[in-house]
Amino acid sequence: MRCDGRSNDQLRQARIIPGYLKFPLGSALIETGNTTVICSACVEERVPPFLKGTGQGWISAEYGMIPGATPERNQREASRGKQSGRTMEIQRLIGRGLRAVVDLNALGERTIWVDCDVIQADGGTRTASITGAFVALAQALNRLRAEGVLPKLPVTDFVAAVSVGEVGSELMLDLCYEEDSRAEVDMNVVMTGSKKLVEVQATGEGGPFSREEFLQLLALAEKGIAELIQLQRSVLGPVGAEISANTWK
Amino acid sequence: MRCDGRSNDQLRQARIIPGYLKFPLGSALIETGNTTVICSACVEERVPPFLKGTGQGWISAEYGMIPGATPERNQREASRGKQSGRTMEIQRLIGRGLRAVVDLNALGERTIWVDCDVIQADGGTRTASITGAFVALAQALNRLRAEGVLPKLPVTDFVAAVSVGEVGSELMLDLCYEEDSRAEVDMNVVMTGSKKLVEVQATGEGGPFSREEFLQLLALAEKGIAELIQLQRSVLGPVGAEISANTWK
Amino acid sequence: MRCDGRSNDQLRQARIIPGYLKFPLGSALIETGNTTVICSACVEERVPPFLKGTGQGWISAEYGMIPGATPERNQREASRGKQSGRTMEIQRLIGRGLRAVVDLNALGERTIWVDCDVIQADGGTRTASITGAFVALAQALNRLRAEGVLPKLPVTDFVAAVSVGEVGSELMLDLCYEEDSRAEVDMNVVMTGSKKLVEVQATGEGGPFSREEFLQLLALAEKGIAELIQLQRSVLGPVGAEISANTWK
Amino acid sequence: MRCDGRSNDQLRQARIIPGYLKFPLGSALIETGNTTVICSACVEERVPPFLKGTGQGWISAEYGMIPGATPERNQREASRGKQSGRTMEIQRLIGRGLRAVVDLNALGERTIWVDCDVIQADGGTRTASITGAFVALAQALNRLRAEGVLPKLPVTDFVAAVSVGEVGSELMLDLCYEEDSRAEVDMNVVMTGSKKLVEVQATGEGGPFSREEFLQLLALAEKGIAELIQLQRSVLGPVGAEISANTWK
Amino acid sequence: MRCDGRSNDQLRQARIIPGYLKFPLGSALIETGNTTVICSACVEERVPPFLKGTGQGWISAEYGMIPGATPERNQREASRGKQSGRTMEIQRLIGRGLRAVVDLNALGERTIWVDCDVIQADGGTRTASITGAFVALAQALNRLRAEGVLPKLPVTDFVAAVSVGEVGSELMLDLCYEEDSRAEVDMNVVMTGSKKLVEVQATGEGGPFSREEFLQLLALAEKGIAELIQLQRSVLGPVGAEISANTWK
Amino acid sequence: MRCDGRSNDQLRQARIIPGYLKFPLGSALIETGNTTVICSACVEERVPPFLKGTGQGWISAEYGMIPGATPERNQREASRGKQSGRTMEIQRLIGRGLRAVVDLNALGERTIWVDCDVIQADGGTRTASITGAFVALAQALNRLRAEGVLPKLPVTDFVAAVSVGEVGSELMLDLCYEEDSRAEVDMNVVMTGSKKLVEVQATGEGGPFSREEFLQLLALAEKGIAELIQLQRSVLGPVGAEISANTWK
């Protein structure tokens, strides 16, 4: 049995509070079990050098964790003077995941900065970040449209993410920290509302795994992500309905 | 009149949620108006080099702000690769303020790490950090006593802080960001439950100020801090009562 | 047709020169098409802090690229003062891939440092690094056994890697840089001699992809990796035969 | 009695040598007891980004200490790769203090860089820096006027600083290092020639202090600063007389 | 007798492979004994700030060493976050040496970046870098002329370098690492095809040395460099002949 | 004629004030023309890792320049966050120069830290640093002997340095900044009291030079250094006499 009594194919209790912060263009707090992430989205009227003059926009993601988020205090990266490899890997993953569902040409030459700050960490912080960040991003882009900056909402689909893994020979959905640290296989999946894959990262550090296990894990992830996207749709209200409609076209 | 209709000698609405985080030894969320800070306190069983072998403990504070805390996104210090001078100044101030009410010899050769992470910033983040951090710290020290690590609670008094300032020739208590940015004189005061001063930092960048203004501002700060300490006492429950009792001895 | 006339399921011309460097315990140069990587493996008689006292060893990988490796000079990370997120991501991937086929308990409390330095870059540098690094690693571990430091060869299987992708709706094996930069889906696969998966990283930044495409790409990767492992086995000579034998047990 | 036989309300022997360096626009060496600081002021024809296009100038201060300045060698910040929090705090204080007596609009869109380099440190280096830097600054601004860059001298008053403190229950003016390290209360005051306050920073790390002690310390500081400003006026000659005259208007 | 049986005035076996890399404008691999360096030269259409608007070009050199180049793994400077003093010293030396034989005015306002990456290190890496880099540079400048970017080849002479030293009272040419580490006097000489000196760096850390020893070492270096320049001339083919011709004018 | 009317073979006016600083074990201020450097020497009771357990000591030198030392303010390395290549090159040169005249075995396992801080820079700061640092070092070592830490003075000879160069076809001793910036050949020589060479660094960036020029410059340097060592001897008093006596043994 799992630490919190869930069945193997069950998500943790999830909650998303859109507009959690007062100042950014878009924001959301996401809780999945004991993992909590604050996501925000701001606009900057310029793009990275490699996009200058192309008419195309960009989405840049950054990720951080407050020192009190974990059982053992995790050292503040700002005082160490650099971000860890893990942090960089995560923020690159978040950025790719979100860009996959935004029409960057329709965004125009501007950057949306998406920040995911983990307030409490109990496993799955990178996937919760993606799921929450999508809500903050959709809210920000909707605001830009409302302000007349964008002619239409440049969101082509929902996107959410979840972790799955093999723990003690059991295949499980949405690992908490304790499960994750024992996992033989650990996999993060990013998927759209149309059930298309955006990112699949599977790691068998505790030992290699077979294609069959891999496919079963993928199926578990699909189930979980579909539920998370349902949650995104409901908290986004009319904007959520509009994105659903877009996806069907 | 002030932006939120308060009178000049009135604090913003304040709220402290002790134990806000699940994992650290002590924690608190503090809200004062639109300023929100998450404070946490952890223990490390060693001290900085200059205290090794002295039997004395230490309290180290760190301060950060998430990028979405401000109207204009503030750049993540971890990705810039260093903390700003402002951040360093603030975390030194928090540390001194808290150490003033802890018996470092009774703490023994260990460090309490106090982290203050600003989630939303509308002025007064450094003073809110001190006021909230005291609650997290008291909770952590109480936990160490409960676990038998400390024979008694090494807290000698309450400590809280507030900003005051002269804005458009008016003397005001607890400035929000808009007031702070217009202030001719800006002053932060840290004071104990026994109304003793711990830190006074007054700055007249918008022009020098007289001793009389200074004293009036100090009186305003005393009034505000007394109310904040009342709030700390009430949220700390029995531990708050015990600290009050200590103070009278 | 592909830039170098290969068919879609064909690897680039590959060559591995074991013992390419004179000084390290193990080394190899790997060429796959116009991509060239020098791999080396050294031993250090200590482990990272989290393994101290566990009796377990570690494999740490680092990755770099000389400035002249690319058509446009790539800035030297040492003079920029930090490694990019991409570099960190790659060196973490290499480390995980190699650790999956080494018995870290049999290695004992020591670290094998594996360095992959790209001399020429035409796509697939991270997968070539893994394939070449395995040879350097096997050579180094064999040397440690010959010196009596290790009682047996702690290698449990071969490991190699390849990239696959969808480029202009074609599914292709072993992308060169030009193909990679146009790919709608880009995927790196790390697999063992027993055809078990170690890492799967699939990214659809140019648009999401279906499970079917995913599986076809995986099959392509399997084919390529089997050929690369055949190459590793042959260049490793008796050590290669011994690892093959191990795998069958 | 104090280490050098002074009475409690007596300054250390002070000396200021204006124009100490050959190359900068303005410079001064200041000695107070065994503390020695070299101050210089240079002009740069641009302002920080937040002032671009405002027509307003800026004064930026930097502070450093040579390794041989202290009894125990203090590590060179340039070789450690970063400035300490203490250094940053001090240079921000110096900058604010000097800006309070300069008409930044009259300065125009240019920056005066003020550098304070401590050659010998026996307590009070930050206050000596302010007192000496004012002389270097006045000299530089006078030079800019003489060269026709500035139509008038944009200095509105003198500014100087001193430390005061409570040491073993005695209130003392101008602490040397040995006194400072024993002080229960440590306070730095920056004041103008018109006896207006610019900065007050009081710290009771050795224990909280009362408002009465605070006021007595402030009075001591006022006495000391008045004497230091008298010294500034005399070494500045005609420029000093002119600033005195300005102040009376 | 020397470790590899050479006589004291004999160079190590040397080989230069021009055009070793596929992508840069110019490149060369140089081997001298067991020391191997990959050199490359790229062009950038701008100059350092101090040359802007002067019409003059620049040559910037960078130097690095892969971790597997030495018997004991040398730590990767990119992961340490900074280049060592030794590296900086070497790259400044390479830059000065090459600039001495290039007509920077004829180069025009552009920078040639020269990179020297040591693949294997057995002493003399800085001198091998200069000797090899000259070939890469000449090739790159010839290419720029062929492309019509430069009207003529702005190379005024050959330049090469070698180390000499006193080891166990013997004066030796072209020290390998083992000799270098025992040397009482260590000297690097950079010289042109016309036998003019460009750089002489002699160090007697193992004890001071006389002017006579110095002159004998200089004569040894002259002999070695003449041979290395002969090698450069031959591998450069027609370009080498053209530079020879230039030199006689 | 030279800018200050000296003849080509004449040193600038030089002055050394031993014991210039109050706190370090040894110190000196050196002035040569308008170049001024403060040198200090401190002891640390440990050695760099590569010397642990060898019984041998070490001398480490650091070099810095205050921002006001030059006509154009030079940026503070501590605030830029790193030392320049030039600084690193210089401090390595100073260290080698001083170590050449100290018996490191007689010093025992301790490090002498030598700091050279340039207060005013008009050319020749690295050579003035060496000449002044020797005095600070001799004073510090003498103090350690007086305190019984060292049984004897571990100084084997004097050491001093000077720059020479070819400027407008004239060979000149002791270049000031203006001459140095025009020099075709620039050379720094470090020599002992016994006229033995310790370091020779000659650079012909303005064009290659002949062996004859080189030898004439060396002769000029010898003349200048002999005079500087005479000055060192006289300011060191009895310690100077003792070192002279040592040298004759």
Side-chain angles (χ1 to χ4, degrees):
Chain A
M1 218 182 66
R2 304 180 69 174
C3 52
D4 52 359
R6 281 181 288 152
S7 61
N8 283 347
D9 67 348
Q10 204 179 340
L11 283 181
R12 289 182 281 182
Q13 183 74 27
R15 185 164 72 123
I16 299 176
I17 306 175
Y20 182 75
L21 295 177
K22 185 185 175 66
F23 298 121
L25 211 53
S27 66
L29 177 134
I30 179 167
E31 288 174 8
T32 65
N34 286 317
T35 288
T36 310
V37 187
I38 296 177
C39 306
S40 62
C42 311
V43 66
E44 185 188 25
E45 289 297 325
R46 57 176 192 174
V47 285
F50 68 92
L51 288 178
K52 247 178 212 160
T54 62
Q56 193 189 315
W58 194 245
I59 297 177
S60 259
E62 288 193 352
Y63 170 93
M65 196 183 273
I66 68 171
T70 46
E72 188 135 344
R73 177 179 189 267
N74 68 90
Q75 210 195 330
R76 189 178 292 275
E77 291 187 330
S79 72
R80 282 201 326 166
K82 63 173 182 174
Q83 296 179 297
S84 69
R86 177 185 173 275
T87 290
M88 290 209 180
E89 196 175 294
I90 292 175
Q91 56 197 18
R92 285 160 59 87
L93 174 69
I94 299 170
R96 288 196 306 267
L98 297 174
R99 286 192 297 268
V101 295
V102 173
D103 179 342
L104 297 173
N105 288 305
L107 178 57
E109 272 197 42
R110 52 181 61 87
T111 297
I112 307 293
W113 285 90
V114 173
D115 287 284
C116 300
D117 287 273
V118 179
I119 297 308
Q120 199 159 273
D122 187 27
T125 62
R126 76 186 71 188
T127 50
S129 292
I130 290 170
T131 306
F134 176 76
V135 173
L137 175 64
Q139 201 178 55
L141 293 172
N142 188 45
R143 183 93 64 97
L144 288 178
R145 180 179 52 172
E147 290 170 358
V149 176
L150 295 178
K152 59 162 197 166
L153 192 69
V155 179
T156 59
D157 204 341
F158 291 89
V159 73
V162 83
S163 78
V164 286
E166 183 183 332
V167 185
S169 305
E170 300 278 307
L171 303 189
M172 294 180 180
L173 173 63
D174 194 13
L175 310 186
C176 69
Y177 177 75
E178 187 274 335
E179 291 162 348
D180 185 80
S181 62
R182 286 188 298 126
E184 296 104 52
V185 183
D186 177 23
M187 181 163 155
N188 292 297
V189 180
V190 185
M191 207 177 280
T192 66
S194 325
K195 294 192 189 303
K196 289 244 177 179
L197 294 163
V198 170
E199 286 273 338
V200 177
Q201 295 197 340
T203 299
E205 203 172 323
F209 52 96
S210 69
R211 185 201 279 231
E212 289 63 41
E213 288 165 291
F214 181 83
L215 288 176
Q216 286 176 289
L217 288 171
L218 197 56
L220 265 185
E222 275 187 30
K223 173 183 180 295
I225 291 176
E227 293 173 32
L228 290 167
I229 286 178
Q230 190 49 47
L231 176 61
Q232 290 175 332
R233 184 181 290 117
S234 82
V235 303
L236 277 170
V239 174
E242 184 181 351
I243 298 171
S244 291
N246 275 352
T247 312
W248 282 101
K249 277 185 291 197
Chain B
M1 216 182 69
R2 305 181 70 174
C3 51
D4 52 359
R6 279 181 291 152
S7 63
N8 283 348
D9 68 347
Q10 204 179 340
L11 284 181
R12 290 182 280 181
Q13 183 73 28
R15 185 163 71 123
I16 299 176
I17 305 175
Y20 181 74
L21 296 177
K22 185 186 175 66
F23 298 121
L25 212 54
S27 66
L29 177 134
I30 179 166
E31 289 174 8
T32 65
N34 286 317
T35 289
T36 310
V37 187
I38 297 178
C39 307
S40 63
C42 311
V43 67
E44 186 188 25
E45 289 297 324
R46 56 176 193 175
V47 285
F50 69 92
L51 286 178
K52 247 179 210 161
T54 63
Q56 195 189 314
W58 194 245
I59 296 176
S60 259
E62 288 193 353
Y63 170 94
M65 195 182 273
I66 68 171
T70 46
E72 187 134 346
R73 177 179 189 267
N74 68 89
Q75 210 196 333
R76 191 178 291 273
E77 291 187 331
S79 71
R80 282 200 328 165
K82 64 173 184 174
Q83 295 179 298
S84 70
R86 178 185 172 276
T87 291
M88 290 210 179
E89 195 175 294
I90 291 175
Q91 55 197 19
R92 286 160 59 87
L93 173 69
I94 299 169
R96 287 196 307 266
L98 296 174
R99 286 192 296 269
V101 294
V102 172
D103 179 342
L104 297 173
N105 288 304
L107 177 57
E109 272 198 40
R110 53 181 60 87
T111 298
I112 307 294
W113 284 90
V114 173
D115 286 285
C116 300
D117 287 273
V118 178
I119 296 309
Q120 198 159 273
D122 187 28
T125 63
R126 75 187 71 188
T127 50
S129 292
I130 291 170
T131 304
F134 176 75
V135 172
L137 175 64
Q139 202 179 53
L141 293 173
N142 187 45
R143 182 92 64 97
L144 288 179
R145 181 181 51 172
E147 292 171 356
V149 176
L150 295 178
K152 58 163 198 167
L153 192 69
V155 179
T156 59
D157 204 341
F158 291 89
V159 72
V162 82
S163 78
V164 287
E166 184 182 332
V167 185
S169 305
E170 299 279 306
L171 303 189
M172 295 179 180
L173 174 64
D174 194 11
L175 310 186
C176 67
Y177 178 75
E178 186 274 336
E179 291 163 348
D180 185 81
S181 62
R182 287 188 298 125
E184 297 104 51
V185 183
D186 177 22
M187 180 165 157
N188 292 296
V189 180
V190 186
M191 206 177 283
T192 66
S194 324
K195 295 193 188 305
K196 288 244 175 179
L197 295 163
V198 170
E199 285 274 339
V200 178
Q201 295 197 340
T203 298
E205 203 171 319
F209 52 96
S210 69
R211 185 201 280 228
E212 288 63 41
E213 289 165 291
F214 181 83
L215 288 176
Q216 287 176 288
L217 287 171
L218 197 55
L220 265 184
E222 275 186 30
K223 173 182 180 297
I225 291 175
E227 292 173 33
L228 290 167
I229 285 178
Q230 190 48 45
L231 176 60
Q232 290 175 331
R233 184 181 291 118
S234 82
V235 304
L236 277 170
V239 174
E242 184 181 349
I243 298 171
S244 290
N246 274 351
T247 313
W248 281 100
K249 275 187 292 198
Chain C
M1 217 183 67
R2 305 181 69 174
C3 52
D4 52 359
R6 279 182 289 153
S7 62
N8 283 348
D9 67 348
Q10 204 179 342
L11 283 181
R12 289 182 280 183
Q13 184 72 28
R15 185 164 71 125
I16 299 177
I17 306 175
Y20 182 73
L21 295 177
K22 185 186 176 66
F23 298 121
L25 212 53
S27 66
L29 176 135
I30 180 166
E31 289 173 8
T32 65
N34 287 317
T35 289
T36 310
V37 187
I38 297 178
C39 306
S40 63
C42 311
V43 67
E44 185 188 25
E45 290 296 326
R46 57 175 194 177
V47 285
F50 68 92
L51 287 178
K52 248 179 211 160
T54 62
Q56 193 189 317
W58 194 244
I59 296 177
S60 258
E62 288 194 351
Y63 171 93
M65 194 182 274
I66 68 171
T70 46
E72 187 135 343
R73 177 179 188 266
N74 69 90
Q75 210 195 332
R76 190 178 291 275
E77 291 187 331
S79 73
R80 281 200 328 166
K82 63 173 182 172
Q83 296 179 296
S84 70
R86 177 185 172 277
T87 291
M88 290 209 181
E89 196 173 293
I90 292 175
Q91 55 197 19
R92 286 160 59 88
L93 174 69
I94 299 170
R96 287 197 307 267
L98 297 174
R99 286 192 297 269
V101 295
V102 172
D103 179 340
L104 297 173
N105 287 305
L107 178 56
E109 272 196 42
R110 51 181 62 85
T111 298
I112 306 294
W113 284 90
V114 173
D115 288 284
C116 300
D117 287 273
V118 179
I119 296 310
Q120 199 159 271
D122 187 27
T125 63
R126 74 186 72 188
T127 50
S129 292
I130 291 170
T131 305
F134 176 76
V135 173
L137 176 64
Q139 201 178 55
L141 293 172
N142 188 44
R143 184 92 63 96
L144 288 178
R145 180 180 52 170
E147 290 171 357
V149 176
L150 295 177
K152 58 163 198 165
L153 192 69
V155 179
T156 60
D157 204 341
F158 291 89
V159 73
V162 84
S163 78
V164 285
E166 183 182 333
V167 185
S169 305
E170 299 279 306
L171 303 189
M172 294 179 182
L173 174 63
D174 194 13
L175 311 185
C176 68
Y177 177 76
E178 186 275 337
E179 292 163 346
D180 185 80
S181 62
R182 287 188 297 127
E184 297 104 51
V185 183
D186 177 22
M187 181 164 156
N188 293 296
V189 180
V190 185
M191 206 177 281
T192 67
S194 324
K195 295 193 189 303
K196 289 245 176 177
L197 294 163
V198 170
E199 286 273 339
V200 178
Q201 296 198 340
T203 298
E205 203 172 321
F209 52 96
S210 70
R211 187 202 278 230
E212 288 63 41
E213 289 165 292
F214 181 83
L215 288 176
Q216 287 176 287
L217 288 171
L218 197 55
L220 265 184
E222 275 185 30
K223 173 182 180 297
I225 292 175
E227 292 173 32
L228 290 167
I229 286 177
Q230 190 48 46
L231 176 60
Q232 290 176 331
R233 185 181 290 117
S234 82
V235 303
L236 277 170
V239 174
E242 184 181 349
I243 298 171
S244 291
N246 275 350
T247 312
W248 281 101
K249 275 186 294 196
Chain D
M1 218 182 67
R2 305 181 69 175
C3 52
D4 53 358
R6 280 182 289 151
S7 61
N8 284 347
D9 67 348
Q10 205 179 341
L11 284 179
R12 288 182 282 181
Q13 184 73 28
R15 186 164 72 123
I16 299 176
I17 305 175
Y20 182 74
L21 296 177
K22 184 186 177 66
F23 299 121
L25 212 54
S27 66
L29 176 136
I30 180 168
E31 288 173 8
T32 65
N34 287 317
T35 288
T36 310
V37 186
I38 297 178
C39 307
S40 62
C42 311
V43 68
E44 186 188 24
E45 288 298 324
R46 57 177 192 175
V47 286
F50 69 92
L51 287 179
K52 249 180 208 160
T54 62
Q56 193 190 316
W58 193 246
I59 296 177
S60 260
E62 288 194 351
Y63 169 94
M65 196 182 274
I66 67 172
T70 45
E72 189 135 342
R73 178 180 188 266
N74 68 90
Q75 211 196 330
R76 190 178 293 273
E77 292 187 329
S79 71
R80 282 200 329 164
K82 63 174 183 171
Q83 294 180 299
S84 69
R86 178 185 171 276
T87 291
M88 290 210 180
E89 195 175 295
I90 292 174
Q91 55 197 18
R92 285 161 59 88
L93 174 69
I94 299 170
R96 288 196 307 267
L98 297 174
R99 286 192 297 268
V101 295
V102 172
D103 180 341
L104 296 173
N105 288 306
L107 178 56
E109 271 197 42
R110 52 181 60 88
T111 298
I112 307 293
W113 284 90
V114 173
D115 287 284
C116 299
D117 286 274
V118 178
I119 296 309
Q120 198 160 275
D122 187 28
T125 63
R126 76 186 70 188
T127 49
S129 291
I130 292 170
T131 305
F134 176 76
V135 172
L137 175 64
Q139 202 178 54
L141 293 172
N142 187 46
R143 183 92 64 98
L144 288 178
R145 180 180 52 172
E147 291 171 355
V149 176
L150 296 177
K152 60 163 195 165
L153 191 70
V155 178
T156 60
D157 203 343
F158 291 89
V159 72
V162 83
S163 78
V164 286
E166 184 183 332
V167 185
S169 307
E170 298 279 307
L171 304 188
M172 294 180 180
L173 174 63
D174 194 13
L175 310 185
C176 68
Y177 177 75
E178 186 274 336
E179 291 162 349
D180 185 81
S181 61
R182 286 189 298 127
E184 297 104 50
V185 183
D186 178 21
M187 179 165 158
N188 292 296
V189 180
V190 186
M191 206 178 281
T192 67
S194 325
K195 293 192 190 304
K196 288 244 176 178
L197 294 164
V198 170
E199 286 273 339
V200 178
Q201 296 197 339
T203 298
E205 202 172 322
F209 53 96
S210 69
R211 186 202 280 230
E212 288 64 40
E213 287 165 291
F214 181 83
L215 289 175
Q216 287 176 289
L217 287 172
L218 197 55
L220 264 185
E222 274 185 31
K223 173 182 180 296
I225 291 175
E227 292 173 33
L228 289 167
I229 285 177
Q230 189 49 46
L231 176 61
Q232 290 175 331
R233 185 181 291 118
S234 81
V235 303
L236 277 170
V239 174
E242 184 180 349
I243 297 171
S244 292
N246 275 352
T247 313
W248 280 101
K249 276 187 291 197
Chain E
M1 217 182 68
R2 303 181 71 174
C3 51
D4 53 359
R6 278 182 290 152
S7 62
N8 284 347
D9 67 348
Q10 204 179 341
L11 283 180
R12 289 182 281 182
Q13 184 74 27
R15 186 163 71 124
I16 299 176
I17 305 175
Y20 182 74
L21 296 176
K22 185 185 176 68
F23 298 120
L25 212 54
S27 65
L29 176 134
I30 180 168
E31 288 174 9
T32 65
N34 288 315
T35 288
T36 310
V37 186
I38 297 178
C39 307
S40 63
C42 311
V43 68
E44 186 188 25
E45 289 297 325
R46 57 176 192 175
V47 285
F50 69 92
L51 287 178
K52 249 180 209 159
T54 63
Q56 193 189 316
W58 194 245
I59 297 177
S60 259
E62 288 192 352
Y63 170 94
M65 195 182 274
I66 67 172
T70 45
E72 187 135 345
R73 177 179 190 266
N74 68 89
Q75 210 197 331
R76 191 178 291 274
E77 291 186 331
S79 72
R80 281 200 329 165
K82 63 173 183 173
Q83 295 179 296
S84 69
R86 178 185 171 276
T87 290
M88 290 209 180
E89 196 174 294
I90 291 175
Q91 57 197 18
R92 287 160 59 87
L93 173 69
I94 299 170
R96 288 196 307 267
L98 297 173
R99 287 192 296 269
V101 295
V102 173
D103 178 342
L104 297 173
N105 288 305
L107 178 56
E109 272 198 41
R110 52 181 61 87
T111 298
I112 307 293
W113 284 90
V114 173
D115 287 285
C116 300
D117 287 272
V118 179
I119 297 309
Q120 198 159 274
D122 187 28
T125 64
R126 77 186 69 188
T127 50
S129 292
I130 291 170
T131 306
F134 174 77
V135 172
L137 175 64
Q139 201 179 55
L141 293 172
N142 188 45
R143 184 92 62 97
L144 288 178
R145 181 180 51 173
E147 291 170 357
V149 176
L150 295 178
K152 59 162 196 165
L153 191 70
V155 179
T156 59
D157 204 341
F158 291 89
V159 73
V162 83
S163 78
V164 286
E166 184 183 332
V167 186
S169 305
E170 299 279 306
L171 303 189
M172 295 179 180
L173 174 63
D174 194 13
L175 310 186
C176 67
Y177 177 74
E178 186 274 336
E179 291 163 348
D180 184 81
S181 62
R182 287 187 298 126
E184 296 104 52
V185 183
D186 177 22
M187 181 164 156
N188 292 296
V189 180
V190 185
M191 208 177 281
T192 67
S194 324
K195 296 194 188 303
K196 288 244 177 179
L197 295 163
V198 170
E199 286 273 339
V200 177
Q201 295 197 339
T203 299
E205 204 172 321
F209 53 95
S210 69
R211 186 201 280 228
E212 288 63 41
E213 289 165 292
F214 181 84
L215 288 176
Q216 287 175 286
L217 288 171
L218 196 56
L220 266 184
E222 276 186 29
K223 172 181 181 296
I225 291 175
E227 292 173 33
L228 291 166
I229 286 178
Q230 189 49 44
L231 175 60
Q232 290 176 331
R233 185 181 291 119
S234 81
V235 303
L236 277 170
V239 174
E242 184 181 349
I243 297 171
S244 291
N246 275 350
T247 313
W248 280 102
K249 275 186 293 198
Chain F
M1 218 183 66
R2 305 181 69 174
C3 51
D4 53 359
R6 278 181 291 152
S7 61
N8 283 348
D9 67 348
Q10 203 179 342
L11 284 180
R12 288 182 281 182
Q13 183 74 28
R15 185 165 72 125
I16 300 176
I17 306 175
Y20 182 73
L21 296 176
K22 185 186 176 67
F23 298 122
L25 211 55
S27 67
L29 176 137
I30 180 168
E31 288 173 8
T32 64
N34 287 317
T35 288
T36 310
V37 186
I38 297 178
C39 307
S40 63
C42 310
V43 68
E44 186 188 24
E45 289 297 324
R46 57 176 192 175
V47 285
F50 68 93
L51 286 179
K52 249 181 210 158
T54 63
Q56 194 189 317
W58 194 246
I59 296 177
S60 260
E62 288 194 351
Y63 170 94
M65 196 183 273
I66 66 171
T70 45
E72 188 135 345
R73 179 181 187 264
N74 68 90
Q75 211 196 330
R76 190 178 292 274
E77 292 187 330
S79 71
R80 282 200 327 165
K82 64 174 183 172
Q83 294 180 298
S84 69
R86 178 186 172 275
T87 291
M88 290 210 181
E89 196 174 294
I90 292 175
Q91 54 197 19
R92 286 160 59 88
L93 174 69
I94 299 170
R96 287 196 306 267
L98 297 173
R99 286 192 297 269
V101 294
V102 173
D103 179 342
L104 297 172
N105 288 305
L107 178 56
E109 272 198 41
R110 52 181 61 87
T111 298
I112 307 293
W113 284 91
V114 172
D115 287 284
C116 299
D117 286 273
V118 179
I119 296 309
Q120 198 159 274
D122 187 27
T125 63
R126 75 186 71 188
T127 50
S129 292
I130 292 170
T131 306
F134 176 76
V135 172
L137 175 64
Q139 200 179 56
L141 293 172
N142 188 44
R143 183 92 63 98
L144 288 178
R145 182 181 51 173
E147 291 170 357
V149 176
L150 295 177
K152 59 163 197 167
L153 192 69
V155 179
T156 60
D157 204 341
F158 292 89
V159 73
V162 83
S163 77
V164 287
E166 184 182 332
V167 186
S169 307
E170 299 279 306
L171 303 189
M172 295 181 182
L173 173 63
D174 195 13
L175 310 186
C176 67
Y177 177 75
E178 186 274 337
E179 291 163 348
D180 185 80
S181 62
R182 287 188 298 125
E184 296 105 51
V185 183
D186 177 22
M187 180 165 157
N188 292 296
V189 180
V190 185
M191 208 178 281
T192 66
S194 324
K195 293 191 188 306
K196 288 245 177 177
L197 295 163
V198 170
E199 286 272 340
V200 177
Q201 295 197 340
T203 298
E205 202 171 323
F209 52 96
S210 70
R211 186 202 280 229
E212 289 62 41
E213 288 165 292
F214 181 83
L215 289 176
Q216 286 176 289
L217 287 171
L218 196 56
L220 265 184
E222 275 186 31
K223 173 183 179 296
I225 292 175
E227 292 174 31
L228 290 167
I229 286 178
Q230 189 51 45
L231 176 60
Q232 290 175 330
R233 184 181 290 118
S234 82
V235 303
L236 277 170
V239 174
E242 186 181 349
I243 297 171
S244 292
N246 276 351
T247 313
W248 282 101
K249 277 186 292 196

